[in-house]
Amino acid sequence: MGYYLYLTTFYHKDREYVDYVEERIRDLQRRQPEVWLFQWILLYLDEQLLRHPGEKLEAIRRQYQRGCRSRILYLEAAQVLERSPLLLRRLDAFDIQVLHFMCREDLINAELVMQLAELTGRAGSFGSVLYDVLCQCWEKYPGRGLTAAICSLLVKGHQSGTQYMKWFEKGVEEDIRLTGLYEYYIESLPEDWKKPLPQIIRIYFSYNNTLDYRKKAFVYANVIRNKDKDPKAYQSYRPAMEKFMVDELMLGHINDDLAFLYEIFITESLLNRRMAENLSRLLFTYRIQVEDPSIRYVLVYHEELKKEEKCPLKNGRANVQIYTENHRIFLEDENGNRYESSVPYTIKNMLTDIRFREYCLRLAPDSAGLLLNICSSEKPDRETVPKYAALLEMEEIRETYRKKLRQELLDFYCQNPGEESLYEFLHEINLTAFAKTDRYHLTELLISEGMSREAFSLAGIYGPEKVNLLSLVSLCHRMVLTMEYGEDEMLLALCHY
């Protein structure tokens, strides 16, 4: 009905009839405001809208707010903005949608792009459609102002992914003055970036480095890798880099760039005991990388330890501790299902400098991870016996492994009669615990060291079976002398045996 009335105005062009049709259309619009066709007709009948393009644009905006997404009305709005770019005074959803339509239909012009860049600088938040519009505009009308607008939008929206790197790079190259630009440039660089950083970036971060530790390490590692190209930057950064490295080591942080810094700056003279303990932990830190997006956790199970380690994946990565060859790695998905070998992953040791192990052995020989690694890979000897003893005292050790450690210690002393440390060892250990592991060898060792009362007590509790006969004869002889030939049923039974 409305469209028919509009068509009749092409035949009956007198003013009174046109006004009559306009009023009829207005009445239809009041009753059905969501029908965009009535508004479109009024764009060509209403004298006010015909004379004032700003009001025409607002009329289309109101129809958009009622839910209209007609390309016909987008085209009407686009024609208004194409002729009068200054009518673009804000960037709400309607304006952005119209601009997106204009980019798609190649209706945008340079003056409108300038106005868009100006308004984007005052935009409050990031929007993906607006970002897409700006990118398309830049392809057609590249310029410093539009580069600044795109960078500003990304910074305000806290967008720092690698997909935005090209814009921050252009911003730096074009010397855009924008707070946060240099920080976001660094944040957007891929992890494997090895090219020298721009000079302005190197200068800026030598005086004002507020990046988090990961990106700060990235900047420092880049300066070191390119020190031959810019030795002055390396020298100016070095004090800050050394302090940063010490601070991160004290916190126990590790990633590829930090590992590089540690290998460059750590010397034995720099370390204290606490730092060496942290370094020993980092020696056994491995990065697990999983491509499967359904995997949520990495779990590491050691045969020697009571508890498994469970680490969440972040961006497909997790750092875990692996101390021995006797470990198993599991991946857990979002439903709690675990996989050992069916889901692929990569594993990388974060610190491989052999110097660090020697430093830790000298400065923090009793650190738990180091003790576990040594005792799981080396049999006891004169140097490692104290490490075995220290590991036995740790609560984290599984009881089956604790029993294995005790057995290996007893075997070592039995195979090395006359070992100087045996007497001290026997006086320090828990005899009851060792007796439950191997009472025969323990009894013989006690007898060999003249600890007759302790050996006699064990023989009384557990019996003399399997103990070497000559050792029992020696024990009986000593106990007879110790008791001054007094009568003792247990001694008599042992002598009779």
Side-chain angles (χ1 to χ4, degrees), residues 9 32 82 101 131 196 212 228 253 267 271 286 336 358 369 385 397 418 425 428 432 441:
T9 62
Q32 296 178 283
E82 191 177 11
F101 170 82
Y131 170 72
D212 77 353
D228 292 339
H253 289 160
T267 61
L271 299 172
Y286 289 75
E358 297 302 318
V385 161
I397 299 300
F425 168 75
E428 290 181 352
T432 303
H441 282 142

Side-chain angles (χ1 to χ4, degrees), residues 18 96 155 480:
V18 171
I96 294 171
V155 169
V480 168

Side-chain angles (χ1 to χ4, degrees), residues 219-246:
V219 171
Y220 291 156
N222 185 274
V223 169
I224 295 171
R225 290 188 178 102
N226 294 284
K227 65 180 180 180
D228 292 339
K229 298 175 183 177
D230 191 354
K232 289 184 178 179
Y234 174 75
Q235 291 302 326
S236 66
Y237 268 87
R238 179 159 187 159
M241 290 191 294
E242 291 180 342
K243 181 181 182 304
F244 170 75
M245 181 275 299
V246 170

Side-chain angles (χ1 to χ4, degrees), residues 53-194:
E55 293 186 21
K56 181 177 182 179
L57 188 64
E58 291 305 309
I60 300 172
R61 185 191 306 277
R62 287 192 295 272
Q63 202 62 42
Y64 175 88
Q65 291 168 349
R66 294 186 184 112
C68 173
R69 300 295 183 268
S70 169
R71 289 169 55 85
I72 293 176
L73 286 187
Y74 286 162
L75 179 60
E76 295 289 348
Q79 290 173 342
V80 172
L81 292 177
E82 191 177 11
R83 290 189 292 267
S84 305
L86 292 179
L87 289 178
L88 182 66
R89 300 191 182 106
R90 50 182 164 169
L91 289 175
D92 62 13
F94 167 71
D95 300 281
I96 294 171
Q97 201 61 45
V98 172
L99 290 168
H100 190 255
F101 170 82
M102 295 180 74
C103 287
R104 192 167 61 244
E105 302 299 329
D106 196 23
L107 298 174
I108 207 93
N109 58 44
E111 292 78 14
L112 187 58
V113 168
M114 291 176 59
Q115 182 69 2
L116 171 61
E118 176 68 24
L119 289 173
T120 302
R122 302 197 296 266
S125 60
F126 175 84
S128 59
V129 179
L130 177 57
Y131 170 72
D132 185 54
V133 167
L134 290 168
C135 292
Q136 292 184 63
C137 289
W138 196 95
E139 292 299 324
K140 189 173 183 180
Y141 299 103
R144 189 173 183 275
L146 202 50
T147 301
I150 294 173
C151 291
S152 174
L153 182 70
L154 293 172
V155 169
K156 289 177 182 178
H158 308 292
Q159 305 297 309
S160 59
T162 54
Q163 68 270 33
Y164 304 120
M165 184 198 78
K166 67 174 184 178
W167 297 116
F168 295 124
E169 191 173 26
K170 289 181 187 298
V172 172
E173 289 172 356
E174 295 177 16
D175 196 26
I176 302 297
R177 301 300 180 185
L178 175 66
T179 300
L181 173 62
Y182 297 156
E183 285 82 0
Y184 275 83
Y185 168 77
I186 294 295
E187 292 284 349
S188 69
L189 292 177
E191 291 183 0
D192 58 354
W193 183 270
K194 296 295 188 294

